[in-house]
Amino acid sequence: MKNIVLTGFMASGKSSVGKSLAQKLNIEFIDTDNLIEQNLNKKITDIFKENGEQYFRQQETKVIEELSDLTSCIISCGGGVVLNKYNIELLRKNGIIINLYASAQEVYKRISNNKDRPLLQNTTIEKIQSLMDYRKPFYENCDISIKTDNLSVEQITDLIISKILV
Ligand code: S3P
């Protein structure tokens, strides 16, 4: 089976949906952010703070290169993975790219009080919207797109399964 690769803006539901899909399909769940944290033994926020975003992006690509030969896995990607075309080319080799998206209002609601996302500290709905607008064409480079506002993790999981099993 091809991998199911979940992309999308921060807090669009990739990790929760990814875990749920993995459980339902009884296959492995992989999260690129977790792999980076494990490799460097450091939290994402500290990597951004101490090594900078560019270094983080290099680590992201390294992790994707390492997992690009796998099959039959759920791969949940950090929200910025799509910004590098090479990452998506690698992921597409064995995978179906599914983009999850949520409105800026919904993302704002989900991330309030969360300190784990360096790019969304002290943010506003307007700033989220502007980053989303910039990234839109990158997220649109996918095979299936799903709007997650008002859908439960379970509903999104079933929707993805129904779309890939046609
Ligand atoms: C980022 C998204 C984060 C994480 C890092 C950068 C981004 O992952 O990789 O903070 O640039 O969109 P999530 O999408 O899982 O929050």
Side-chain angles (χ1 to χ4, degrees):
M1 187 188 121
K2 281 197 153 203
N3 296 318
I4 300 176
V5 178
L6 299 175
T7 65
F9 199 81
M10 292 164 272
S12 57
K14 292 163 296 188
S15 298
S16 321
V17 171
K19 282 179 197 155
S20 161
L21 274 169
Q23 201 174 25
K24 216 158 204 172
L25 297 172
N26 199 20
I27 57 179
E28 196 184 346
F29 172 74
I30 297 170
D31 182 304
T32 60
D33 283 344
N34 288 349
L35 288 182
I36 296 168
E37 289 186 333
Q38 276 169 28
N39 284 350
L40 300 179
N41 196 19
K42 225 179 196 182
K43 289 271 164 212
I44 302 287
T45 35
D46 294 329
I47 303 171
F48 267 74
K49 224 187 293 169
E50 293 165 23
N51 309 94
E53 180 171 351
Q54 203 186 346
Y55 179 78
F56 173 78
R57 297 299 173 202
Q58 285 162 3
Q59 295 305 309
E60 201 162 52
T61 296
K62 191 165 155 236
V63 155
I64 292 169
E65 280 172 339
E66 283 162 9
L67 55 76
S68 64
D69 286 332
L70 297 175
T71 54
S72 303
C73 292
I74 306 293
I75 303 175
S76 170
C77 297
V81 158
V82 296
L83 301 172
N84 183 343
K85 215 170 136 206
Y86 174 60
N87 291 342
I88 293 297
E89 276 165 18
L90 286 174
L91 290 164
R92 190 163 258 145
K93 195 168 60 143
N94 290 341
I96 305 171
I97 314 284
I98 301 188
N99 180 250
L100 301 184
Y101 69 99
S103 65
Q105 286 83 352
E106 182 66 26
V107 167
Y108 185 76
K109 217 163 51 183
R110 292 180 192 173
I111 56 111
S112 52
N113 297 325
N114 186 313
K115 299 252 174 292
D116 297 336
R117 293 191 170 92
L119 297 180
L120 297 182
Q121 294 310 300
N122 306 315
T123 197
T124 60
I125 295 181
E126 291 71 27
K127 283 190 203 163
I128 292 172
Q129 187 63 61
S130 141
L131 187 54
M132 269 183 178
D133 290 346
Y134 169 74
R135 289 185 172 186
K136 193 165 179 267
F138 297 96
Y139 289 129
E140 282 174 348
N141 181 16
C142 65
D143 302 309
I144 297 170
S145 196
I146 295 173
K147 187 165 190 326
T148 65
D149 288 20
N150 307 319
L151 289 183
S152 68
V153 170
E154 175 100 36
Q155 285 170 319
I156 303 164
T157 305
D158 291 342
L159 193 58
I160 292 175
I161 293 175
S162 72
K163 283 183 189 273
I164 56 168
L165 295 185
V166 286

